[in-house]
Amino acid sequence: MSTEQGAAADTSATRTSTPSAPATDASARPASPAFAAALDARYGRSPNRRTNRRILAIVGGVVLAVLVVSWVLWTGILGAKAQLEATDLGHDTTATETTVRWSLTAPVNTEVSCAVEAQNDNHGIVGWKIVRLPASDQQVRQFSETVRTSERAVTGLINRCWLS
């Protein structure tokens, strides 16, 4: 046996035969205030830096809250109101056509187009017509349009309207 092997055998024997001693390294000892202050200064941790980060986080949170509230007010409450509104007033159907009556609220002096449709009892579209409505100085107007159908319709309605 060489000396190195003998020394290794002696240390392994001592390790197994003696119970482990309590740790005495630097991590187990409480740090002195001077040592803690030196570490804080070394790694950039200082009371001023903590305060600055806290102030920055509070200001950032306030700015974010103001932005969110402003956006909600701008888009929701103060946002643009609906410019077009079509309301079905009724319909009359025959075997070959459907007459649809509706009320239209639109900006004054603006041309509008509307899609009028007729549906069968399975809600299939059996008639369709695009109606171009001239500009008017009235905001609310009523219209009636007849749509030819491929089979008997059970309902007639306004699909949608848009500015032309």
Side-chain angles (χ1 to χ4, degrees):
M1 224 197 236
S2 72
T3 5
E4 291 177 3
Q5 290 175 344
D10 288 342
T11 50
S12 65
T14 7
R15 286 187 193 155
T16 55
S17 63
T18 60
S20 62
T24 58
D25 61 350
S27 64
R29 283 183 271 145
S32 67
F35 183 69
L39 281 178
D40 287 345
R42 181 180 200 178
Y43 294 108
R45 300 179 301 214
S46 66
N48 289 340
R49 186 171 175 121
R50 286 186 205 123
T51 303
N52 290 344
R53 282 190 179 175
R54 185 173 296 143
I55 290 172
L56 183 63
I58 290 171
V59 168
V62 168
V63 167
L64 181 65
V66 166
L67 286 174
V68 167
V69 168
S70 299
W71 180 79
V72 167
L73 288 174
W74 180 55
T75 58
I77 297 172
L78 304 174
K81 304 296 182 230
Q83 294 201 7
L84 288 178
E85 183 179 350
T87 305
D88 290 322
L89 299 177
H91 63 276
D92 296 315
T93 60
T94 65
T96 59
E97 61 187 25
T98 299
T99 302
V100 179
R101 293 180 311 279
W102 75 96
S103 171
L104 177 69
T105 304
V108 176
N109 297 323
T110 305
E111 279 191 20
V112 177
S113 294
C114 292
V116 183
E117 72 179 47
Q119 296 180 354
N120 64 9
D121 56 352
N122 293 322
H123 298 288
I125 298 173
V126 295
W128 178 273
K129 188 174 190 180
I130 303 293
V131 181
R132 199 169 176 107
L133 306 169
S136 172
D137 59 351
Q138 296 177 346
Q139 187 174 6
V140 180
R141 300 180 282 166
Q142 291 186 359
F143 297 97
S144 176
E145 188 67 35
T146 301
V147 179
R148 291 186 351 171
T149 58
S150 60
E151 64 181 72
R152 184 167 186 89
V154 295
T155 188
L157 54 103
I158 298 297
N159 182 290
R160 70 182 196 105
C161 292
W162 60 93
L163 298 175
S164 344

